[in-house]
Amino acid sequence: MAPVVTAFEESPDRGQGLARDMPVRWALEEVGQPYEVRRVSFSAMKESEHRALQPFGQIPTYQDGDLVLFESGAIVLHIAENHVGLLPDDADARARAIMWMFAAIGTVEPPIVQREFSHYLERDTSWHEERLPLMENHIRSCLEDLSARLGECDWLDGTFSAGDLLMVQVLRRLKGTGLLEVFSNLSAYVSRGEARPAFKRAFDAQLPADFGKTQTSILQEQ
Ligand code: GTB
């Protein structure tokens, strides 16, 4: 049986592929592993049945036979370790690819998520305008360092790896903020990731069923 991944029934990003089922889908597409997606509503996510799979009541989860995993990074690592294509064979290069996975999730993503949370939850507070530059400086400094390390290379350490997959996915959250765009090599890096056929397949598969339809054509179908 194909592994089953859970995703939002209706993603708040309305098809931008920013929720964390996206890296899991992308990894499965990269290695050519067919999978099924079970969409979960916000309320179902908080029920005990879903919490048995994901104790924090979130998506994504990954079920393959008796194995149940949560945490998108751990799921991507599991996929990468059990298939060819996302981790190099050489032991040192493999360790470095895993290091970049941790860097994406543990170093680059937190300030980005903090800024998003602040935007959604704190933007009406008196101190939001004061705090925003501090958060954005933190992101900028992180991107400066990442940009310097990437330089003119296509990928972070030789060939495309699970480290690049997670890093590109994390950086995608900054698109349109102006923070990513000033680093031309990072913008090009994200575009390279998004141009991969596996990314495109994963992206297309997560689009809402009515994506791209005009309100009129949706009404006509009803
Ligand atoms: N560390 C966990 C992992 O990596 O798997 C975090 C999982 C997580 O944050 N899941 C989110 C969730 O289930 C969805 S991805 N949230 C529901 C809840 O907590 O009640 C985070 C996300 C949500 C929405 C957007 N967006 O709209 O752009 C982007 C990312």
Side-chain angles (χ1 to χ4, degrees), residues 87-105:
L87 287 175
D89 289 337
D90 173 76
D92 287 357
R94 201 175 176 90
R96 288 194 302 273
I98 295 170
M99 168 187 77
W100 280 115
M101 295 177 72
F102 278 81
I105 293 175

Side-chain angles (χ1 to χ4, degrees), residues 94-123:
R94 201 175 176 90
R96 288 194 302 273
I98 295 170
M99 168 187 77
W100 280 115
M101 295 177 72
F102 278 81
I105 293 175
T107 300
V108 181
E109 186 173 55
I112 296 174
V113 171
Q114 193 185 30
R115 179 184 170 280
E116 279 174 15
F117 266 52
S118 174
H119 174 75
Y120 290 115
L121 305 176
E122 302 170 349
R123 69 182 151 192

Side-chain angles (χ1 to χ4, degrees), residues 132-144 179:
L132 188 62
L134 300 176
M135 290 185 288
E136 295 198 334
N137 282 344
H138 186 182
I139 296 173
R140 235 174 252 117
S141 135
C142 210
L143 295 185
E144 260 166 32
L179 289 162

Side-chain angles (χ1 to χ4, degrees), residues 16-176:
Q16 292 180 73
L18 296 175
R20 288 189 173 92
D21 55 299
M22 181 63 199
V24 175
R25 291 168 183 265
W26 184 6
L28 288 162
E29 294 286 355
E30 286 285 348
V31 302
Q33 169 64 56
Y35 58 100
E36 286 172 20
V37 174
R38 185 164 58 80
R39 293 184 179 265
V40 188
S41 68
F42 270 102
S43 57
M45 243 179 261
K46 307 302 171 192
E47 299 292 331
S48 53
E49 200 181 330
H50 185 76
R51 283 185 191 274
L53 310 177
Q54 217 291 6
F56 306 104
Q58 297 180 315
I59 58 97
T61 59
Y62 173 94
Q63 285 172 272
D64 190 9
D66 290 338
L67 177 67
V68 178
L69 293 176
F70 62 94
E71 281 300 329
S72 54
I75 300 170
V76 171
L77 180 58
H78 172 76
I79 295 164
E81 281 185 324
N82 287 280
H83 297 81
V84 175
L86 282 173
L87 287 175
D89 289 337
D90 173 76
D92 287 357
R94 201 175 176 90
R96 288 194 302 273
I98 295 170
M99 168 187 77
W100 280 115
M101 295 177 72
F102 278 81
I105 293 175
T107 300
V108 181
E109 186 173 55
I112 296 174
V113 171
Q114 193 185 30
R115 179 184 170 280
E116 279 174 15
F117 266 52
S118 174
H119 174 75
Y120 290 115
L121 305 176
E122 302 170 349
R123 69 182 151 192
D124 294 331
T125 60
S126 56
W127 35 267
H128 177 66
E129 287 305 312
E130 253 177 90
R131 191 163 171 250
L132 188 62
L134 300 176
M135 290 185 288
E136 295 198 334
N137 282 344
H138 186 182
I139 296 173
R140 235 174 252 117
S141 135
C142 210
L143 295 185
E144 260 166 32
D145 295 339
L146 185 65
S147 168
R149 172 55 82 98
L150 180 67
E152 295 307 310
C153 297
D154 279 356
W155 306 115
L156 288 166
D157 194 308
T159 53
F160 177 84
S161 77
D164 294 297
L165 186 153
L166 290 183
M167 192 65 84
V168 166
Q169 181 61 20
V170 163
L171 295 178
R172 290 186 65 242
R173 293 177 83 137
L174 288 175
K175 279 173 77 174

